[in-house]
Amino acid sequence: MATLPNPLPRLAADPSGHALGLGLPAGRLIDATSDGPWHEPLLWHAEDRAAPGGWAALSGARTSGLLPVLLDVGDTQNGPAEWELSPDMMSYPGDHDAEEVLAEFWEAYAGAEAGADEDHPGEDEVVEVFGEQPGPDGTFAPYGPLRPGPADATAPDADPDARAAEVADSLTASGSWLKDPRLALVFARRSADIPAVIGWTGPANHEGDMARLCAVLRSWEDRFGIRVVALTFDQLVVSVAAPPTTMAEAEAVAAEHYAFCPDNIDQGSRTTLREYAEREVLNEKVWAFWWD
């Protein structure tokens, strides 16, 4: 983890963060996990709804190793104190290879039928229950059962942190789909690590160790300038400073999205990789993921 000492415990006696050079609004420290209180705070979040400009106002926290993220406390699962955070289940993102993680999930979800079993039924069973489904040539075109290599990095059209602030402002503005976003601070080495650091379990039905998915987020940080901007109980939103600008680039990234979060296509409104690439990836400044 980061070499600096975690400054979050200091906020218990200094709620405004004055000693850290901050001027925080009223907030609370969260140490609640699925197994009881953690040995130190996992995060701080504001008590009041976030507003545009709030993200930029926290920029000084980075010098203490604290990184911003929006947390939506307005859903039926309420806020992070009730999200069953499980930091003890997480490994370290740097111990995993993003390409290996993506290849494993692509094979499991888009791979050949040969591995069908009780948990992953073959084509005959699927057709019997759900009717004829799009085959790999349709759903996963232009690829198929064999996943392509990693998508090439694309040129940034904005500074990654500036793009993150822009997206955060849009998510906290009137009319945002987030119900009740709160500004939060997490002690993390890099933005991509935030979900694993707090023990977020949104993708638990897909992957129990969020650090493996954070390894992919780290890779996207490097190639596409992403930042983790928002979390709900089961959704992850990232800003994108270097979005794909051609369909070929977007399709390669869409394949990675499918391995990372199959529900985006399997249970989403974009039912093929090409449609998803065109509507959700191409030139898009925001990528959102949801796990059932």
Side-chain angles (χ1 to χ4, degrees), residues 9 19 40 62 65 78 106 118 153 178 180 190 205 213 224 236 239 241-242 254 272 275:
E40 61 182 4
R62 289 186 173 87
N78 299 313
W106 181 269
E118 290 183 2
L178 292 181
D180 190 1
R190 50 197 290 183
N205 291 335
L213 297 182
F224 309 113
L236 165 69
S239 59
T272 68
E275 182 185 15

Side-chain angles (χ1 to χ4, degrees), residues 1-113:
M1 295 305 296
T3 55
L4 294 170
N6 184 354
L8 287 175
R10 298 173 62 181
L11 297 180
D14 179 22
S16 69
H18 179 75
L20 299 173
L22 304 174
L24 299 178
R28 57 187 300 207
L29 294 167
I30 301 296
D31 64 2
T33 77
S34 58
D35 291 323
W38 196 238
H39 63 272
E40 61 182 4
L42 294 167
L43 61 97
W44 167 94
H45 77 70
E47 292 286 9
D48 295 329
R49 182 184 177 93
W55 181 283
L58 293 180
S59 60
R62 289 186 173 87
T63 60
S64 301
L66 296 173
L67 300 182
V69 66
L70 295 172
L71 304 179
D72 191 356
V73 306
D75 212 338
T76 55
Q77 291 83 9
N78 299 313
E82 300 180 39
W83 285 0
E84 297 187 341
L85 301 177
S86 300
D88 58 323
M89 293 175 56
M90 309 301 161
S91 57
Y92 178 57
D95 291 337
H96 304 285
D97 180 87
E99 177 60 17
E100 291 179 0
V101 172
L102 290 171
E104 176 186 326
F105 282 128
W106 181 269
E107 181 179 355
Y109 287 91
E113 288 271 327

Side-chain angles (χ1 to χ4, degrees), residues 17-286:
H18 179 75
L20 299 173
L22 304 174
L24 299 178
R28 57 187 300 207
L29 294 167
I30 301 296
D31 64 2
T33 77
S34 58
D35 291 323
W38 196 238
H39 63 272
E40 61 182 4
L42 294 167
L43 61 97
W44 167 94
H45 77 70
E47 292 286 9
D48 295 329
R49 182 184 177 93
W55 181 283
L58 293 180
S59 60
R62 289 186 173 87
T63 60
S64 301
L66 296 173
L67 300 182
V69 66
L70 295 172
L71 304 179
D72 191 356
V73 306
D75 212 338
T76 55
Q77 291 83 9
N78 299 313
E82 300 180 39
W83 285 0
E84 297 187 341
L85 301 177
S86 300
D88 58 323
M89 293 175 56
M90 309 301 161
S91 57
Y92 178 57
D95 291 337
H96 304 285
D97 180 87
E99 177 60 17
E100 291 179 0
V101 172
L102 290 171
E104 176 186 326
F105 282 128
W106 181 269
E107 181 179 355
Y109 287 91
E113 288 271 327
D117 55 27
E118 290 183 2
D119 294 324
H120 300 86
E123 181 179 355
D124 291 344
E125 290 83 355
V126 170
V127 170
E128 180 179 347
V129 176
F130 298 105
E132 199 70 38
Q133 301 293 300
D137 289 342
T139 302
F140 304 117
Y143 305 116
L146 298 180
R147 198 184 81 79
D152 291 334
T154 48
D157 61 18
D159 173 80
D161 292 326
R163 176 57 51 79
E166 172 191 338
V167 170
D169 282 351
S170 70
L171 291 174
T172 55
S174 176
S176 166
W177 62 270
L178 292 181
K179 296 181 176 65
D180 190 1
R182 305 291 176 86
L183 283 166
L185 292 172
V186 176
F187 182 58
R189 182 184 294 270
R190 50 197 290 183
S191 179
D193 294 353
I194 287 174
V197 167
I198 68 172
W200 186 63
T201 57
N205 291 335
H206 176 58
E207 170 58 62
D209 182 2
M210 186 65 210
R212 282 166 43 85
L213 297 182
C214 286
V216 177
L217 292 176
R218 282 185 167 202
S219 178
W220 290 348
E221 271 190 346
D222 296 337
R223 288 180 289 150
F224 309 113
I226 70 101
R227 295 290 187 267
V228 174
V229 174
L231 294 170
T232 76
F233 176 73
D234 54 10
Q235 294 170 287
L236 165 69
V237 182
V238 304
S239 59
V240 189
T245 57
T246 70
M247 269 301 291
E249 292 172 343
E251 287 168 353
V253 171
E256 296 193 11
H257 281 204
Y258 182 75
F260 182 81
C261 179
D263 288 338
N264 267 20
I265 290 179
D266 289 347
Q267 300 195 52
S269 59
R270 320 299 184 193
T271 57
T272 68
L273 201 68
R274 279 191 166 130
E275 182 185 15
Y276 179 87
E278 181 180 7
R279 305 296 289 274
E280 306 294 340
V281 178
L282 184 65
N283 295 312
E284 289 296 324
K285 301 176 183 179
V286 181

